Amino acid sequence: MMEIAASYPELFQKWKTRQLSEEAIKEELIQFGVEEFHIPEIMHHYKKKCCEDRQTTGFVLTGIGSFLGFISCLFTMLDLVPELRNFMLYGLTSIGLIVLFIGLYLVFEE
């Protein structure tokens, strides 16, 4: 059990890249010789890690979407390139909102 405890982050990353189900993860832990009463705790930490990764991605996307919206507003008000006014006003704002709402979905999804 001690050699597995030191490599939890490595195990979590392997499980995530291989997209294993809970049953497959439990079977793998049993093969490693982990005691039965430790498995729910390990699964809880794995689920928590996955949720934290998803929320981190969501916050990054929310920041990018907000920045695109701000840039769109700024460029529209300054009207630096009049030929691109409609793209800045409608296109960049729409892209920013889509990225923002995807990020919010990832943050608040359970």
Side-chain angles (χ1 to χ4, degrees), residues 1 8 29-30 33-44:
M1 176 66 185
Y8 277 161
L29 288 173
I30 291 171
V34 177
E35 296 172 4
E36 192 71 32
F37 60 91
H38 287 296
I39 292 176
E41 181 182 346
I42 294 170
M43 292 300 297
H44 173 73

Short mmCIF file of all heavy atoms in Angstrom, two decimals, residues 1 8 29-30 33-44:
data_model
loop_
_atom_site.label_atom_id
_atom_site.label_comp_id
_atom_site.label_asym_id
_atom_site.label_seq_id
_atom_site.Cartn_x
_atom_site.Cartn_y
_atom_site.Cartn_z
N MET A 1 0.82 -1.20 0.00
CA MET A 1 0.00 0.00 0.00
C MET A 1 0.87 1.26 0.00
O MET A 1 0.50 2.25 -0.56
CB MET A 1 -0.93 -0.05 1.22
CG MET A 1 -1.77 1.18 1.40
SD MET A 1 -2.93 1.35 0.06
CE MET A 1 -3.65 2.89 0.46
N TYR A 8 -0.04 8.20 -6.24
CA TYR A 8 -1.44 8.50 -6.56
C TYR A 8 -1.59 9.43 -7.77
O TYR A 8 -2.37 9.14 -8.67
CB TYR A 8 -2.16 9.11 -5.36
CG TYR A 8 -2.69 8.11 -4.37
CD1 TYR A 8 -3.00 8.52 -3.08
CD2 TYR A 8 -2.88 6.79 -4.69
CE1 TYR A 8 -3.49 7.62 -2.16
CE2 TYR A 8 -3.36 5.89 -3.78
CZ TYR A 8 -3.67 6.31 -2.51
OH TYR A 8 -4.14 5.42 -1.61
N LEU A 29 -6.96 -1.81 -8.61
CA LEU A 29 -6.50 -1.61 -7.23
C LEU A 29 -6.43 -2.93 -6.47
O LEU A 29 -5.50 -3.15 -5.68
CB LEU A 29 -7.43 -0.62 -6.51
CG LEU A 29 -7.30 0.84 -6.94
CD1 LEU A 29 -8.38 1.68 -6.28
CD2 LEU A 29 -5.93 1.38 -6.61
N ILE A 30 -7.39 -3.80 -6.71
CA ILE A 30 -7.36 -5.11 -6.06
C ILE A 30 -6.15 -5.90 -6.54
O ILE A 30 -5.49 -6.58 -5.75
CB ILE A 30 -8.69 -5.87 -6.32
CG1 ILE A 30 -9.82 -5.18 -5.55
CG2 ILE A 30 -8.58 -7.32 -5.92
CD1 ILE A 30 -11.21 -5.70 -5.89
N GLY A 33 -3.09 -5.10 -4.78
CA GLY A 33 -3.06 -5.56 -3.40
C GLY A 33 -3.55 -4.54 -2.40
O GLY A 33 -3.23 -4.63 -1.22
N VAL A 34 -4.33 -3.58 -2.87
CA VAL A 34 -4.89 -2.58 -1.97
C VAL A 34 -6.02 -3.22 -1.17
O VAL A 34 -6.83 -3.97 -1.71
CB VAL A 34 -5.42 -1.36 -2.76
CG1 VAL A 34 -6.07 -0.35 -1.85
CG2 VAL A 34 -4.30 -0.72 -3.55
N GLU A 35 -6.06 -2.93 0.11
CA GLU A 35 -7.10 -3.50 0.96
C GLU A 35 -8.46 -2.93 0.58
O GLU A 35 -8.59 -1.79 0.15
CB GLU A 35 -6.78 -3.21 2.42
CG GLU A 35 -5.50 -3.89 2.86
CD GLU A 35 -5.07 -3.47 4.25
OE1 GLU A 35 -5.80 -2.71 4.90
OE2 GLU A 35 -4.00 -3.91 4.68
N GLU A 36 -9.49 -3.74 0.77
CA GLU A 36 -10.84 -3.42 0.30
C GLU A 36 -11.39 -2.12 0.91
O GLU A 36 -12.10 -1.37 0.25
CB GLU A 36 -11.78 -4.59 0.65
CG GLU A 36 -13.13 -4.51 -0.01
CD GLU A 36 -13.08 -4.76 -1.51
OE1 GLU A 36 -12.23 -5.54 -1.97
OE2 GLU A 36 -13.91 -4.15 -2.21
N PHE A 37 -11.05 -1.84 2.16
CA PHE A 37 -11.60 -0.65 2.81
C PHE A 37 -10.88 0.64 2.40
O PHE A 37 -11.35 1.73 2.70
CB PHE A 37 -11.62 -0.80 4.34
CG PHE A 37 -10.28 -1.02 4.96
CD1 PHE A 37 -9.52 0.06 5.38
CD2 PHE A 37 -9.78 -2.30 5.13
CE1 PHE A 37 -8.28 -0.14 5.95
CE2 PHE A 37 -8.54 -2.51 5.71
CZ PHE A 37 -7.79 -1.43 6.12
N HIS A 38 -9.77 0.55 1.68
CA HIS A 38 -9.07 1.74 1.18
C HIS A 38 -9.59 2.17 -0.20
O HIS A 38 -9.39 3.32 -0.60
CB HIS A 38 -7.56 1.51 1.08
CG HIS A 38 -6.87 1.47 2.39
ND1 HIS A 38 -6.80 2.55 3.22
CD2 HIS A 38 -6.20 0.47 3.02
CE1 HIS A 38 -6.12 2.23 4.30
NE2 HIS A 38 -5.75 0.96 4.21
N ILE A 39 -10.23 1.27 -0.91
CA ILE A 39 -10.65 1.55 -2.29
C ILE A 39 -11.64 2.71 -2.38
O ILE A 39 -11.46 3.60 -3.23
CB ILE A 39 -11.17 0.27 -2.96
CG1 ILE A 39 -10.00 -0.70 -3.16
CG2 ILE A 39 -11.84 0.58 -4.30
CD1 ILE A 39 -10.38 -2.04 -3.73
N PRO A 40 -12.70 2.78 -1.52
CA PRO A 40 -13.60 3.94 -1.63
C PRO A 40 -12.91 5.28 -1.39
O PRO A 40 -13.24 6.27 -2.05
CB PRO A 40 -14.65 3.67 -0.54
CG PRO A 40 -14.61 2.21 -0.32
CD PRO A 40 -13.19 1.79 -0.57
N GLU A 41 -11.93 5.30 -0.50
CA GLU A 41 -11.20 6.54 -0.25
C GLU A 41 -10.38 6.95 -1.47
O GLU A 41 -10.36 8.13 -1.85
CB GLU A 41 -10.28 6.34 0.96
CG GLU A 41 -9.49 7.57 1.33
CD GLU A 41 -8.55 7.34 2.49
OE1 GLU A 41 -8.70 6.32 3.19
OE2 GLU A 41 -7.66 8.18 2.69
N ILE A 42 -9.73 5.99 -2.11
CA ILE A 42 -8.94 6.28 -3.30
C ILE A 42 -9.86 6.75 -4.43
O ILE A 42 -9.55 7.72 -5.14
CB ILE A 42 -8.14 5.03 -3.72
CG1 ILE A 42 -7.09 4.70 -2.67
CG2 ILE A 42 -7.47 5.25 -5.08
CD1 ILE A 42 -6.40 3.37 -2.87
N MET A 43 -11.02 6.11 -4.58
CA MET A 43 -11.98 6.51 -5.62
C MET A 43 -12.49 7.93 -5.37
O MET A 43 -12.66 8.72 -6.30
CB MET A 43 -13.15 5.53 -5.68
CG MET A 43 -12.78 4.16 -6.18
SD MET A 43 -12.09 4.17 -7.84
CE MET A 43 -13.48 4.79 -8.75
N HIS A 44 -12.71 8.26 -4.09
CA HIS A 44 -13.17 9.60 -3.74
C HIS A 44 -12.13 10.65 -4.15
O HIS A 44 -12.46 11.68 -4.73
CB HIS A 44 -13.47 9.69 -2.24
CG HIS A 44 -13.78 11.07 -1.77
ND1 HIS A 44 -14.98 11.69 -2.06
CD2 HIS A 44 -13.05 11.95 -1.05
CE1 HIS A 44 -14.97 12.90 -1.54
NE2 HIS A 44 -13.81 13.08 -0.92
#
